[in-house]
Amino acid sequence: METGYLRELRQSFSSGRTRDAAWRKSQLRAILRLLDENENQIFQALQRDLGKHPIEVYRDEIGVVKKSVTYALSCIDKWMAPKKNQLPLLFFPSRAEVRPEPLGIILIFVSWNFPITLALDPLVGAISAGNTVVIKPSELSPETSAFLARTIPAYLDRKAIKVIEGGTDIAENLLQQKWDKIFFTGSARVARIVMAAAVTHLTPVTLELGGKCPAIVDSLSATLDLKVAAKRLAAGKWGACCGQACIAIDYILVEQKFSSALIELLKKSVKRFYGENVKNLKNLSTIVNKHHFNRLRNLMEDPAVAASIVYGGEVDEENMIIQPTILLDPPLDAEIMQEEIFGPLLPIITLDNIKDSIEFINSRPKPLALYAFTKDDAFKKQIVAETSSGSLTFNDTVIQFVCDDLPFGGVGLSGFGRYHGKYSFDAFSHEKAVLHRSFYLELEARHPPWNDFKLRFLRFAYMFDYWGLILLYMGLKR
Ligand code: NAD
């Protein structure tokens, strides 16, 4: 049985209102207004949920979404326009186009770590494509969840876009309904539940998951700008939500002979960005909750792992802070090297030869992001050709997320489907093939009664389309 809110969304969709370009643009502009007029409320919500610094919030959440909206507004007419397509000459006279159409009602599941971006960025795509939407924020970022539930109905079309708050029971209830697409950001564990539920109605899904994202640091790094590299590595580990990010560096691969120099550089960046004493750390987000705090503490306090800590390791339980921590060669079979870390612990794994990093990475599940710091063009080519990951970034970290023209999504266990920019529009659209045929020139060779000529004709016709007109002429004759 369809619930009241779904009936309302379906009516809004059926009315055709959301297909209108003017509606789509007005909703996108409303998102901009929502962000502009409530900046302080967003800062406060994310401070309470995750201890995020307002500048980090602007950089990773408000600014990212505003950029997506502005980009979508500048491209939406082009994205919506039907694309003319070539047809085989055999079908002359005819014409064809590919017409994007909205899917219908979209369910968006949001993870807690970037609770504004991961709710509103997919929403930008869903609205641009002309859909109605339900957003289910994470119960683990309650202040931001409440903010979205309060402001979205106040700014956007409340009959077409809804926020439903709640925990697992509400999420499971949502999954029992029939959706036209489920867009899920979260863990592989819950993704399996989502996919199992989607099977009932054969609902298409996009799964934006995580995993262990490696960073290769080439020992030819003598030729790299090491200070810049160290800053970017530190930013890629601790800079966004204190490592609680799907594209944060999970571990670094480096040649043994270069490891101590790299550790020294990383320590310098950490001290400069965040300070030293765990009680006085600045600019560092807090760990989201007790469960994750204890999980991270257990990862580094595992007796087999603790001895490998070369920097950090302090915790401030009262304030839910874990110091940026560097570990050198923890055992590869320890949990810290088996599970996604999703926090401020950074294992550095040493290799005899940096080229072995490719085999190391390929022997594990395909990561969402792979980073490599190198100036060696041959090595770069090898990494591109021989590894598979959602994205591959050379000489920087995490910035791939804010590039509108790059698809964002995983491969293998890091998920499937992609979004951002035009890819978001496509993720929430169906590309309908529309073929207009004339009543002229009926090709008799396609119809029985069959004869040898028709078989010969069809063999040629499928292989040599430029012969189409000649064949067409002959086909008409028989
Ligand atoms: P999660 O899987 O626990 O929760 C994600 C969403 O699913 C939340 O909205 C939650 O309410 C909902 N949910 C929880 N239990 C459910 C159930 N039984 N049935 C239906 N829905 C349920 O993930 P999380 O802890 O919020 O996020 C952490 C994970 O997300 C990490 O693995 C991280 O790498 C990944 N992540 C990926 C991206 C990306 O863009 N690829 C971004 C952020 C986080």
Side-chain angles (χ1 to χ4, degrees):
M1 252 287 279
E2 209 166 66
T3 56
Y5 63 85
L6 269 174
R7 246 192 324 276
E8 190 175 35
L9 291 171
R10 200 153 308 278
Q11 275 164 8
S12 298
F13 186 68
S14 305
S15 74
R17 185 165 88 244
T18 66
R19 292 174 182 252
D20 194 13
W23 181 87
R24 303 184 198 198
K25 289 178 191 173
S26 74
Q27 298 306 298
L28 292 175
R29 287 194 198 101
I31 296 178
L32 285 182
R33 273 202 311 283
L34 183 158
L35 293 170
D36 282 337
E37 291 171 15
N38 297 280
E39 206 174 86
N40 278 331
Q41 282 196 53
I42 298 174
F43 289 156
Q44 276 166 20
L46 279 153
Q47 171 60 40
R48 289 191 194 127
D49 280 338
L50 289 156
K52 280 197 192 187
H53 192 282
I55 298 180
E56 191 180 319
V57 173
Y58 196 89
R59 185 196 62 187
D60 296 348
E61 312 248 15
I62 300 174
V64 169
V65 179
K66 283 174 79 170
K67 186 170 176 302
S68 286
V69 174
T70 313
Y71 187 74
L73 279 168
S74 70
C75 298
I76 195 165
D77 291 326
K78 193 170 67 192
W79 293 345
M80 286 176 68
K83 311 272 173 314
K84 292 253 175 300
N85 257 39
Q86 288 273 326
L87 285 176
L89 277 173
L90 267 173
F91 305 141
F92 177 84
S94 59
R95 68 188 164 81
E97 63 193 6
V98 176
R99 213 165 245 281
E101 60 180 24
L103 295 173
I105 308 181
I106 311 293
L107 173 61
I108 298 175
F109 277 110
V110 186
S111 163
W112 50 263
N113 55 343
F114 296 89
I116 293 287
T117 302
L118 298 176
L120 299 187
D121 219 18
L123 179 67
V124 170
I127 289 174
S128 301
N131 295 283
T132 58
V133 183
V134 167
I135 296 175
K136 157 66 186 75
S138 172
E139 65 282 19
L140 301 189
S141 43
E143 295 282 339
T144 318
S145 174
F147 169 81
L148 291 170
R150 204 167 55 240
T151 50
I152 286 190
Y155 283 81
L156 280 83
D157 179 344
R158 59 172 66 211
K159 292 193 167 164
I161 297 156
K162 298 191 180 290
V163 177
I164 297 187
E165 291 189 277
T168 310
D169 49 336
I170 298 290
E172 284 173 353
N173 199 288
L174 287 169
L175 283 178
Q176 282 167 17
Q177 311 297 324
K178 183 178 179 314
W179 305 92
D180 296 301
K181 169 132 196 180
I182 302 174
F183 186 99
F184 173 83
T185 301
S187 64
R189 182 187 69 79
V190 178
R192 289 187 174 92
I193 299 172
V194 169
M195 263 195 96
V199 163
T200 311
H201 300 292
L202 294 182
T203 308
V205 293
T206 292
L207 299 181
E208 294 286 341
L209 313 180
K212 292 181 87 65
C213 301
I216 302 169
V217 182
D218 186 0
S219 63
L220 280 180
S221 298
T223 63
L224 293 178
D225 184 333
L226 287 175
K227 280 195 195 137
V228 173
K231 275 190 217 167
R232 291 178 184 177
L233 286 164
K237 179 62 195 179
W238 299 287
C241 203
C242 191
Q244 302 169 106
C246 55
I247 50 173
I249 298 173
D250 193 276
Y251 60 93
I252 291 181
L253 296 169
V254 67
E255 281 184 4
Q256 168 105 54
K257 60 183 183 230
F258 183 59
S259 57
S260 36
L262 178 66
I263 290 168
E264 286 314 307
L265 284 164
L266 287 173
K267 281 191 207 167
K268 262 192 201 155
S269 294
V270 168
K271 287 176 193 167
R272 179 155 172 257
F273 290 172
Y274 312 110
E276 263 188 274
N277 185 328
V278 74
K279 287 281 175 199
N280 296 319
L281 291 177
K282 291 194 171 63
N283 311 324
L284 197 67
S285 303
T286 51
I287 305 304
V288 63
N289 59 22
K290 265 265 173 324
H291 163 73
H292 282 285
F293 187 88
N294 290 333
R295 179 185 63 80
L296 287 160
R297 182 142 85 172
N298 290 341
L299 285 184
M300 68 174 171
E301 289 181 359
D302 171 351
V305 170
S308 64
I309 296 177
V310 292
Y311 180 79
E314 301 287 317
V315 302
D316 172 359
E317 189 163 0
E318 195 191 335
N319 294 306
M320 302 289 279
I321 288 174
I322 295 183
Q323 193 182 12
T325 298
I326 304 173
L327 305 98
L328 183 61
D329 282 325
L332 294 181
D333 59 357
E335 221 180 323
I336 196 167
M337 284 309 296
Q338 296 292 320
E339 299 292 325
E340 179 182 18
I341 295 173
F342 221 59
L345 318 179
L346 177 61
I348 295 187
I349 306 298
T350 60
L351 306 167
D352 291 335
N353 187 322
I354 198 65
K355 303 269 158 75
D356 298 341
S357 55
I358 292 183
E359 198 191 322
F360 190 97
I361 290 163
N362 287 345
S363 64
R364 289 162 170 74
K366 294 177 180 177
L368 179 62
L370 171 58
Y371 305 106
F373 284 74
T374 180
K375 277 188 157 180
D376 178 346
D377 287 336
F379 187 37
K380 277 189 188 173
K381 274 191 191 146
Q382 201 185 345
I383 297 171
V384 172
E386 295 178 19
T387 64
S388 179
S389 51
S391 64
L392 167 58
T393 305
F394 288 109
N395 300 330
D396 210 333
T397 54
V398 304
I399 57 164
Q400 74 275 17
F401 189 86
V402 274
C403 300
D404 295 309
D405 285 326
L406 288 179
F408 183 81
V411 55
L413 282 186
S414 53
F416 57 79
R418 53 205 182 149
Y419 74 126
H420 285 186
K422 170 72 159 59
Y423 299 97
S424 288
F425 180 84
D426 292 344
F428 296 106
S429 299
H430 163 61
E431 291 197 315
K432 184 160 73 183
V434 183
L435 197 155
H436 304 268
R437 183 79 161 97
S438 154
F439 280 110
Y440 292 117
L441 300 182
E442 183 56 11
L443 189 63
E444 291 306 328
R446 63 188 269 207
H447 303 298
W450 303 122
N451 58 39
D452 287 350
F453 170 80
K454 289 184 180 177
L455 181 58
R456 281 200 303 279
F457 169 83
L458 288 171
R459 280 195 180 121
F460 271 102
Y462 279 120
M463 279 180 63
F464 305 110
D465 192 50
Y466 63 93
W467 281 64
L469 279 177
I470 300 166
L471 289 166
L472 176 65
Y473 172 74
M474 293 165 69
L476 283 167
K477 293 277 169 192
R478 301 280 173 132

